[in-house]
Amino acid sequence: MDVPIEAPSAEVVPVGRRGSGIAAYLVGKSLPYASPWISAALLPPVAGLATNAMWGDAPLSAGLASAGLAIGGAAMAAVTWKTTPGSSKFARFRRVQATTSVAAGMGWLTAATAAGPFGRPMMDLWLMGGGLFALSWNLRQIMARGASGEAVQETGGGLGALAEAIGWEKVRVKDAKGSGKGTVAAQVEVEAGGTIEAVQSTTARVAAALRVPPSGVIVTPDPEDAARGTVSLRVADLLKDGVDFVVPTALGLLPTEPIPVGLYADGEVWVLNPFSAPILQHVLVMGVTGAGKSEFLRSLVAHLAARSKMTIFLVDLAKGRQTVGHIADGIDWLIQDAKEAKRLLRSLPAAIKARGDVLADEGLDQWTPESSLNAMLVWIEEAADVADFNEIEEIARKARSVGIWLGISLQRATWNNLSTDVRANLQGAVCFGVNEASDAGFALPDSVTGAGAVPAWGSDRPGYAFATGMGIPEARWTTEVRSGLTDRDELAALVAASAPYRDPLDETTAAALGQAYAQRAHRGTNRATPGLPAAPPRALAAPAPRSAPALETEDMTAMEEHAAMEIQDAYDEVMGQIPADPEPEADYAGLRLEDEVPEADPDPEASLAFEAPSRPGAEQARHILYTELDGWARSGRLEFEPADLIPATIAAGRKRPWMQGELKRLVEAGALRHDSHGAYTIVQSPLVPA
């Protein structure tokens, strides 16, 4: 839901009060500049008159008092010099000014004690010296302020004092400005011998000094000047009370419209725009259990399920229904079975190729809303448990240009469960809380983690993350985000209301996915089939079986007894035709199954000739094999191994090399898909025309 912003109430101010307010404003602005003049006008004559009255009457007391004041003035000047910072040009000027002011004031007071404050030349020195003193301090005040009135710090006071405290000896901090939204930004510049990388390595000390989270201090280098950068301090957390889910501005938007999924730390809306980016960037989502990955996924799916020309496939073998069960109608294919997940991944390459051919015919280098194809989101939870690296890498490498957005969610994207080749193709990232700072490097670019944007808070701050790619401006990569908190009933109502706007999967992709898609266990709703339950698997080239009438239990028992009697009668009839045991004296009475049968004496009057069956031709043999595969496809059996086809191969009068050649032909034709373990998946029945 959009966060309401209350406008400040207007107040009618009387004219008299308005004038007095302006006067008060001017007085407040001028008072800092008037203070040196007031001090110069009042303090010297008052102090000089007091000391002269106490010790100026007698020469001895006047001399001793003057000597004491001279020694005290020298000591005060030394203390002022030592205690005033002076590590920058501006600080050194301030040190000289402060020390000179103390020394001059104490010198005048020493002389005024003996000579009196209102005689000549003491009054002249007071008027000229006091004026110069006040004017010099006014100039310092003006120099310490920028043209906009914001304080300019150069390693002195404010951020400058902090810089000195943490050892930024060769760093100048200036132009510190607050955003009014809990963040302060300042420019940093290193002197000769320093680097911005060295400044980045001290962000933890800055965060500790400011008492903010480690990720609250970000130092970003200037891409055009290696000696400059920007330090951003998050001094207030505007997201700690949670972020409301941002509802879509309208139903039926295209996939290329921005997707609001949360807020940035400065209150700006966090949006993704993957399908409008110059390159569609697949996304890796990472974070420990309880870090907020599921909330982010629900927000993303709910928004995309409310759009036209959009199809969502989601694989979650662990807790699919628990995570997205209330919005499952917006998901065209929700997979919770490992075999079905493998069918999807093995079918996708054929779909990618088919979509590429269509886009080429349409004259498009990559998917746009002008295409006849839907944009697609294929989301895989814990991808390492679903498929091997080669399958995922092939899909990630080829799917980008055909409008298939791949999302992979893991707790830790380490070298063991995600290869470097796959990670190189996941150019977008959303990294939620991790337990170890080094884990963030598996998802976020080095430039982001090097700047201090490391979500090493585990599950203590659910929903907080750093996000890169997917149309996000690079300047925003180091700003904390928090995903919106979702309500199950609200999302369910949104997905249900969006059914008339959801387009079914385009025919090209559906046909290329073949049996795996046609026989999917879950079917979402859309404008073509709103509210329909999951349909049974589609039968290919086979009539639907007739349903038998319902029978009572007594009828079933009678039928079983009758069938048993018929089987017994048939058995007795067959066995009755078998001759009795041979005579014990016969030559063949002692033969065993493994013994050779002796040749019988030729009988010229009784000879039988048997003709061996003819070997099936090539087309007939192929039809026998294809019929076996077609029967498996129609019955829902889509995975098999070559050994399962041995009976059909024997029936075709062929051997294993022939069978392997036929399987290779079917793989090349796209009807089958072969995995690295030697198993096959039926993508399309070989008896169905391509």
Side-chain angles (χ1 to χ4, degrees), residues 32-34 36-37 97 133-143:
Y33 296 95
W37 294 93
Q97 181 191 29
F133 164 83
L135 182 60
S136 69
W137 281 92
N138 285 164
L139 291 175
R140 191 195 70 81
Q141 289 173 305
I142 295 173
M143 290 172 61

Side-chain angles (χ1 to χ4, degrees), residues 361-373:
D361 295 338
E362 295 174 345
L364 299 173
D365 293 331
Q366 61 182 13
W367 181 88
T368 67
E370 287 73 26
S371 173
S372 61
L373 306 174

